[in-house]
């Protein structure tokens, strides 16, 4: 086996977004495209020679081929050991768990998260640092700068390795260890939650659950944890075999794309509890019988009930949420007497707070929740947390949520997504909004008075770094607000996200349909941003 140095030229589009580099599969398959980006990662790091790297992905199309390239490049670049998930499978939270448990230097996660897969679908590469979390901006910026200058990459000439057989092999001077993808992660979850009590709930005969893995990475984890360890009946996990194209579906756990689960949970003889996870296992959707729990409410309810779980019995250091996420968690934090941090979207912003011990639970409205047990959001963690709460409180999902609203009030909340908008049109919409901000304070919009209007900026309380232009906010004097933001997770055009929130303290008004309760704000959003004319779309692609 010999190390080969291959001459190459830069690609102009290798700037990582909030969750790494995401492109269509055919782009990654272009000659040298993946190799350039991997070499740019290695070239931007210092001190990794002889260290451990963790590699895995969500099983989507091109996952196995990409891993073989990464293994050979890792050997050529001096890594000492690579831990890779069996069959190339390793969920995003499990990767974070393994990096942290074995003090690895970092990890490479192959996923485009909730984006569709298959030969014409999407693929992604994300680098995680030694704390198990996504690389901060200074690291991703260094990777991008290197990608613009790269002239060669190193790769070992060797046969492909067997990724399906557990155990160690050598690749040049490097050790490759194929690990059980579930074991370390399951052990971590067992240390946090009362598995015996959850097992009693699932095996008691009066409680049924349905877990939909959407033919994505959590299938093997869900089978092992819910059906084998916790004793739920076979068939509790549906769509549990990871497929390269996710069965032709869209592995995004929301009310539109997780339609199999929604049909079950809102149908006749529905189970008591339903949950879904996404492509790489870091997102979750929670449902009760004929009842949907918004991610914002889920974070707040888990924070309010955290001490029922053994791993959080001593309480929380603090709570953190992304700026577009509703303020429901803020009200819980205030009552608990702990801090609540508002950060830009992107899990990397939570990493500093978690490492500094300032926050214990974190959440985003985009179906992501997690804690300081790893440095990523964690779909199955959230499902187990809910099961632990249900096992202790012995109430239905709906009863727990309604009880929470009575105590804290209800934050009516919705997100309207306009997907695959032509980038120029989406950017023009945001530019027009930003230009209008200086004259907006004090303005009357419908029955609302504007209290503030700004482009959200965040100063990290740990390292002092500043992140600007994180989303346009229009806040009203009654606490309601509208947020406009372009998402960086898609690969085609731009996704405009419009977030709408209204607080209702009166329990007698807690049963209104959110779209009805928020209709005045929806109309104002259209009036202010001229969404239909700017995007060319009459209605959102997805409403959650």
């Amino acid at each position: 086996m010999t190390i080969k140095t291959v001459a190459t030229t830069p690609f102009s589009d290798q700037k990582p977004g909030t969750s790494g580099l995401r492109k269509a599969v055919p782009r990654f398959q272009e000659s040298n495209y993946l190799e350039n980006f991997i070499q740019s990662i290695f070239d931007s790091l210092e001190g990794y020679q002889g260290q451990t790297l963790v590699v895995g992905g969500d099983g989507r199309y091109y996952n196995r081929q990409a891993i073989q390239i990464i293994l050979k490049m890792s050997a050529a670049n001096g890594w000492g050991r690579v831990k890779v998930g069996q069959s190339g499978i390793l969920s995003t939270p499990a990767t974070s768990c393994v990096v942290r448990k074995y003090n690895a230097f970092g990890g490479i996660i192959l996923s485009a998260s909730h984006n569709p897969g298959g030969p014409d679908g999407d693929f992604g590469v994300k680098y995680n640092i030694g704390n198990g979390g996504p690389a901060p901006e200074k690291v991703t910026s260094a990777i991008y700068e290197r990608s613009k200058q790269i002239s060669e990459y190193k790769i070992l000439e060797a046969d492909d390795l067997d990724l399906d057989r557990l155990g160690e092999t050598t690749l040049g001077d490097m050790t490759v260890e194929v690990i059980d993808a579930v074991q370390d992660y399951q052990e971590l979850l067992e240390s946090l939650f009362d598995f015996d009590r959850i097992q009693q709930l699932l095996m008691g005969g009066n409680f049924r659950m349905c877990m939909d893995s959407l033919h994505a990475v959590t299938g093997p984890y869900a089978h092992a944890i819910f059906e084998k360890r916790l004793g739920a009946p076979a068939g509790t996990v549906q769509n549990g075999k990871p497929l390269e194209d996710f069965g032709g579906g869209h592995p995004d756990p929301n009310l539109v794309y997780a339609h199999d689960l929604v049909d079950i949970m809102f149908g006749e003889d529905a189970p008591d509890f339903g949950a879904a996870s996404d492509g790489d296992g870091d997102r979750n959707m929670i449902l009760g019988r004929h009842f949907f729990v918004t991610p914002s409410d889920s974070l707040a309810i888990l924070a309010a009930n955290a001490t029922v779980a053994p791993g959080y019995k001593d309480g929380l250091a603090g709570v953190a949420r992304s700026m577009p996420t509703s303020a429901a968690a803020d009200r819980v934090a205030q009552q608990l007497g702990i801090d609540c941090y508002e950060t830009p979207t992107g899990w990397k912003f939570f990493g500093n707070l978690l490492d500094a011990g300032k926050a214990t639970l974190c959440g985003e409205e985009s179906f992501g929740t997690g804690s300081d047990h790893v440095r990523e959001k964690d779909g199955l963690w959230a499902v187990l947390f809910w099961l632990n709460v249900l096992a202790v409180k012995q109430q239905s999902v709906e009863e727990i949520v309604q009880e929470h609203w009575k105590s804290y009030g209800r934050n009516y909340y919705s997100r309207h997504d306009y997907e695959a908008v032509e980038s120029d049109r989406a950017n023009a919409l945001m530019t027009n909004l930003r230009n209008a901000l200086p004259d907006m304070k004090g303005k009357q919009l419908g029955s609302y008075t504007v209290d503030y209007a700004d482009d959200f900026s965040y100063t990290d309380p740990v390292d002092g770094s500043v992140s600007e232009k994180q989303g346009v906010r229009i806040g009203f004097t009654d606490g309601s607000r509208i947020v406009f933001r372009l998402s960086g997770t898609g690969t085609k055009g731009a996704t405009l996200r419009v977030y709408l929130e209204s607080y209702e303290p009166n329990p007698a008004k807690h049963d209104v349909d959110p779209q009805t309760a928020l209709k005045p704000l929806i109309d104002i959003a259209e009036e202010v941003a001229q969404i239909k004319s700017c995007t060319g779309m009459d209605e959102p692609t997805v409403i959650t």
Side-chain angles (χ1 to χ4, degrees):
M1 289 185 284
T2 58
I3 294 174
K4 184 168 65 170
T5 299
V6 181
T8 188
T9 54
F11 293 89
S12 62
D13 62 346
Q14 294 199 328
K15 184 176 183 178
T18 54
S19 298
L21 181 68
R22 292 184 185 174
K23 301 290 177 185
V25 168
R27 184 61 165 158
F28 267 104
Q29 290 176 316
E30 289 181 26
S31 179
N32 294 348
Y33 192 87
L34 173 65
E35 290 86 344
N36 273 24
F37 190 67
I38 297 301
Q39 189 66 56
S40 297
I41 293 175
F42 294 163
D43 287 351
S44 66
L45 303 177
E46 294 181 2
Y48 67 82
Q49 282 79 12
Q51 299 292 318
T52 297
L53 179 70
V54 179
V55 176
D58 59 15
R60 67 176 59 229
Y61 189 86
Y62 196 55
N63 189 66
R64 282 179 176 265
Q65 299 95 313
I67 287 176
Q68 298 289 353
I69 291 169
I70 291 169
L71 290 176
K72 294 168 190 176
M73 291 187 66
S74 299
N77 279 275
W79 288 89
R81 174 182 292 267
V82 174
K83 288 178 176 284
V84 59
Q86 187 176 22
S87 303
I89 293 291
L90 205 58
S91 76
T92 290
T95 303
S96 183
C97 164
V98 173
V99 169
R100 292 170 62 78
K101 180 173 181 177
Y102 296 101
N103 296 312
F105 189 91
I108 292 177
I109 299 172
L110 304 178
S111 174
S113 186
H114 52 293
N115 294 7
D120 298 315
D122 293 337
F123 192 75
V125 179
K126 182 174 76 164
Y127 180 71
N128 281 28
I129 59 175
N131 74 346
E137 215 155 316
K138 63 182 179 182
V139 176
T140 56
S141 295
I143 295 169
Y144 178 50
E145 289 304 315
R146 180 58 187 154
S147 77
K148 294 190 292 185
Q149 303 164 6
I150 191 167
S151 60
E152 62 184 33
Y153 64 84
K154 297 177 183 177
I155 189 165
L156 194 72
E157 290 186 314
D159 293 334
D160 286 353
L161 297 185
D162 184 354
L163 299 178
D164 298 315
R165 182 173 58 85
L166 295 174
E168 294 185 357
T169 54
T170 57
L171 194 58
D173 295 327
M174 185 182 78
T175 300
V176 177
E177 181 185 1
V178 178
I179 63 171
D180 184 313
V182 178
Q183 184 177 346
D184 292 317
Y185 175 71
Q186 180 176 327
E187 288 176 1
L188 176 60
L189 294 180
E190 288 200 48
S191 74
L192 299 174
F193 301 113
D194 190 339
F195 269 43
D196 291 340
R197 199 154 186 174
I198 297 172
Q199 186 175 40
Q200 291 172 10
L201 176 72
L202 294 179
M203 297 182 68
N206 297 317
F207 183 91
R208 291 182 298 134
M209 73 169 280
C210 180
M211 175 71 209
D212 191 344
S213 289
L214 299 178
H215 288 303
V217 78
T218 60
Y221 297 86
H223 280 299
I225 294 171
F226 298 120
E227 294 183 356
K228 294 179 182 176
R229 171 62 179 84
L230 293 171
T236 294
V237 178
Q238 66 175 20
N239 300 324
K241 182 180 179 182
L243 299 176
E244 288 190 333
D245 65 348
F246 306 117
H250 192 145
D252 195 352
N254 61 43
L255 294 170
V256 174
Y257 295 127
H259 46 78
D260 287 353
L261 177 66
V262 172
D263 289 347
I264 290 170
M265 296 305 300
F266 283 84
E268 293 184 17
D269 193 30
D272 301 277
F273 178 76
S277 194
D278 70 329
D280 65 330
D282 62 357
R283 299 178 186 227
N284 72 92
M285 178 171 69
I286 303 297
L287 298 169
R289 184 184 291 119
H290 297 182
F291 193 83
F292 167 63
V293 184
T294 72
S296 296
D297 278 341
S298 181
L299 172 64
I301 289 164
L302 294 182
N305 294 279
T307 54
V308 306
Y312 308 95
K313 66 181 185 337
D314 296 328
L316 308 177
V319 179
R321 63 167 177 85
S322 65
M323 179 274 288
T325 302
S326 94
D330 303 43
R331 303 182 189 283
V332 174
Q334 184 177 21
Q335 190 156 317
L336 293 176
I338 59 176
D339 289 330
C340 184
Y341 299 89
E342 183 180 35
T343 75
T345 296
W347 206 260
K348 60 188 176 185
F349 292 102
F350 294 138
N352 277 356
L353 298 171
L354 295 170
D355 286 346
K358 290 181 175 293
T360 307
L361 298 192
C362 302
E364 297 181 330
E365 50 68 39
S366 53
F367 296 85
T369 328
S371 87
D372 58 355
H373 69 295
V374 290
R375 293 298 180 268
E376 292 277 6
K377 46 187 176 275
D378 190 344
L380 292 184
W381 169 91
V383 175
L384 284 164
F385 210 145
W386 265 95
L387 287 171
N388 204 150
V389 172
L390 289 164
V392 171
K393 294 181 76 75
Q394 293 292 308
Q395 294 174 293
S396 71
V397 171
E398 184 174 0
E399 288 169 343
I400 288 171
V401 175
Q402 290 179 337
E403 183 181 88
H404 182 88
W405 290 340
K406 286 179 183 176
S407 298
Y408 297 95
R410 180 175 184 182
N411 286 71
Y412 279 105
Y413 185 83
S414 184
R415 188 181 91 190
H416 290 197
D417 288 0
Y418 297 81
E419 297 179 345
V421 180
E422 187 180 314
S423 294
D424 289 346
R425 300 180 76 161
N427 288 321
L429 181 150
M430 294 300 294
T431 298
N432 292 340
L433 278 172
R434 290 189 173 104
N435 290 339
L437 290 176
D439 301 322
M440 207 168 279
K441 182 176 172 62
K443 198 171 184 179
Q444 194 74 18
L445 296 175
S447 61
Y448 297 85
T449 303
V450 177
D451 181 40
Y452 63 89
D454 62 14
D455 200 345
F456 181 61
S457 177
Y458 175 70
T459 301
D460 192 296
V462 178
D463 65 17
S465 61
V466 177
S467 300
E468 298 178 324
K469 291 191 173 182
Q470 295 297 313
V472 170
R473 304 187 300 176
I474 302 173
F476 302 99
T477 52
D478 70 340
S480 301
R481 63 177 185 149
I482 304 170
V483 176
F484 301 88
R485 181 178 158 270
L486 297 185
S487 171
T489 58
T491 61
K492 296 174 183 174
T495 296
L496 170 68
R497 302 199 197 281
V498 183
Y499 310 85
L500 309 129
E501 178 175 9
S502 179
Y503 177 65
E504 179 53 70
N506 184 357
K509 297 181 179 180
H510 285 172
D511 292 327
V512 180
D513 180 272
Q515 302 309 312
T516 302
L518 294 167
K519 183 65 165 60
L521 292 175
I522 295 170
D523 292 341
I524 290 171
E526 168 59 31
E527 175 191 343
V528 169
Q530 295 294 300
I531 298 171
K532 291 179 182 177
S533 61
C534 283
T535 65
M537 301 173 69
D538 290 330
E539 59 186 22
T541 314
V542 179
I543 295 176
T544 50

